[in-house]
Amino acid sequence: MPPDASPAPPPLTDDPAALRRALVAAGFTTDGIAELLGPLPSAALHREQRLPADLVTRETDSPIATLVRLFALGLPVTVRQLDRALAGWDTRRLAAAGLVRVDGSRVTAAYDLRPYGDEQHEWWVASDLSEVMTGQPLPVDHVLGIGGASTTLASWTPRRRVGRALDLGTGCGVQSLHLAGHAEQIVATDTSARALEIAGWNAALNGDRWDLRRGDLFAPVGDERFELIVSNPPFVITPRVAGVPTYEYRDGGRVGHGIVQTLIAQLPDHLAPGGVAQLLANWEVPTGGDWRQVVGDWFAGTGLDAWVVQRDTQDPAEYAELWAGDGGHRAGATGFEEMYAAWLADFKSRDIGTIGFGVITVQRPETARKPWLDLVEITGPVQSPMGPAIDAGLRARTWLAEAGDDGLLDARLRVADDVTEERHGRPGADDPSVIVIRQGGGLRRAFQVDTAVAAYVSVADGELTVRQALDAIATLLEVSPDALIADALPVLRDLVADGLLVR
């Protein structure tokens, strides 16, 4: 079992901005590490497999190799090596700042510290040491570093300029680092005091300052409203029984998917008109049920637009195996089978057949209208980053909701640059039996269409209105224009919503 808590956080003081400059000077950057390690060890380290990087860095005594071994791999280095690695930051100063521990001539990291970035930024992020580094199960107050969920949320978040943004469940502050590039004011909340302390230090390390508040869900912000809310909430569905550890970074203290359901129910009180919320979630689907019904019910009566993309599913056993092992517990270890059984019993008590994982985009309409709801399953690769496609998709769906069918028919649309067409037919046949319109970016949607819609897409160059083009196609096909339009409209709406047709 994990320890109940981490040691008291070291006093992360001194001058974080000066440390950042020293890290840059030492080449401890994303590009510097990639150049040192090479593709294979870099990819392995991303999967939390450190042996290939260990083999590379043990062959050199360079400053960047020392820093990688210490802060990214969690391996010990010598005082002599560390004293040479960072200009102005010898071992004594790093220990006083709480970043390392010294035992004679041996130095170990007190925190994971590594560079992280996107297309425009380079940051450095401190977090608690992973179980790969310590070789022990994680303490329950562990502060998670950069992981797959946090990078997914960052990738999918639209980057509109906003006045006020809320990072709900900030953890070590990854989402707030991204928000700092396009939000004037950032409020970051968490239930964990340790997480807030580390997030505050990461803000200072990267030259930022955030309004940090402790509390559950929206309690720390009262009745305040925001133009953008991002949340990687503690959505893991964990049995509430003795013997199963509840980690602050992943367990929200509710039964089933209650944490996400509650968060969505409270969103209308905290989104400004036109405001957007971007979050990750798990959801339980009863045996024989439909995930769209489960998630769709969350938004009934909220007045919110919602776009939900289910990215993956697991059965209860797969889910139990994943999360029982997440904190460093492995099959065969003491207590693992008991935890596994507790998960299975918990799901069985609610007759759960499937657990879904996905990305939820929510918008509060600016005008009084019927909200739209779009629920889709996309399990394959998508554009990276997805934020621009999410932003465009929100605008397209909002326009469709406000314009109605007449507005769509009066629009002058053109086919997007990344769209291709595929035609499939029986050998020797004059006409194709299947026509597929495929998107190269965004969600990489593919739509099977009929001859009329394919004909429209082929002429969609912004010159004719949709109505004019469909009328002409109906004449060529010798069918009723009204019937053709009625059949084509639902498909055209999907093509506009996902960006295959643009205004």
Side-chain angles (χ1 to χ4, degrees), residues 77-109:
V77 299
T78 67
V79 170
R80 181 189 63 82
Q81 288 173 316
L82 188 55
D83 282 344
R84 297 173 51 243
L86 284 171
W89 285 78
D90 60 10
T91 303
R92 183 187 305 180
R93 186 176 182 186
L94 288 168
L99 291 168
V100 301
R101 302 184 179 100
V102 183
D103 183 7
S105 63
R106 184 175 183 269
V107 186
T108 56

Side-chain angles (χ1 to χ4, degrees), residues 10-222:
L12 292 172
T13 55
D14 211 321
D15 185 354
L19 176 59
R20 180 178 74 249
R21 293 191 293 271
L23 292 169
V24 173
F28 192 60
T29 63
T30 52
D31 288 344
I33 293 175
E35 182 178 351
L36 170 71
L37 298 181
L40 188 149
S42 293
L45 185 57
H46 184 70
R47 299 190 303 270
E48 296 190 359
Q49 297 296 325
R50 63 179 180 173
L51 179 60
D54 176 11
L55 294 174
V56 170
T57 55
R58 70 172 61 167
E59 300 299 327
T60 175
D61 201 29
S62 67
I64 186 173
T66 297
L67 294 174
V68 168
R69 291 184 68 78
L70 178 65
F71 288 124
L73 305 183
L75 298 170
V77 299
T78 67
V79 170
R80 181 189 63 82
Q81 288 173 316
L82 188 55
D83 282 344
R84 297 173 51 243
L86 284 171
W89 285 78
D90 60 10
T91 303
R92 183 187 305 180
R93 186 176 182 186
L94 288 168
L99 291 168
V100 301
R101 302 184 179 100
V102 183
D103 183 7
S105 63
R106 184 175 183 269
V107 186
T108 56
Y111 288 90
D112 181 307
L113 175 66
R114 65 183 73 190
Y116 165 69
D118 61 13
E119 293 76 11
Q120 290 85 35
H121 305 93
E122 179 101 67
W123 301 295
W124 287 262
V125 177
S127 60
D128 279 331
L129 300 174
S130 70
E131 54 93 8
V132 175
M133 292 178 169
T134 65
Q136 300 292 327
L138 300 177
V140 293
D141 66 345
H142 177 81
V143 177
L144 194 65
I146 302 158
S150 57
T151 55
T152 295
L153 179 58
S155 174
W156 284 63
T157 299
R159 299 299 170 190
R160 303 176 185 177
R161 297 295 308 180
V162 296
R164 304 190 75 227
L166 172 64
D167 178 6
L168 191 154
T170 188
C172 68
V174 173
Q175 304 308 318
S176 288
L177 288 171
H178 287 274
L179 290 173
H182 62 108
E184 294 177 13
Q185 180 187 2
I186 299 166
V187 177
T189 69
D190 207 289
T191 58
S192 166
R194 183 180 182 83
L196 291 173
E197 183 167 359
I198 292 175
W201 194 79
N202 281 329
L205 179 63
N206 293 283
D208 293 332
R209 178 174 294 180
W210 311 323
D211 182 353
L212 301 171
R213 308 182 193 178
R214 186 182 182 191
D216 183 55
L217 292 178
F218 292 102
V221 300

Side-chain angles (χ1 to χ4, degrees), residues 327-358:
H329 308 280
R330 298 291 180 263
T334 302
F336 179 85
E337 289 191 358
E338 290 78 4
M339 283 191 284
Y340 193 162
W343 250 284
L344 295 179
D346 185 55
F347 286 131
K348 184 178 180 180
S349 71
R350 294 187 296 280
D351 190 28
I352 301 304
T354 306
I355 302 92
F357 168 81

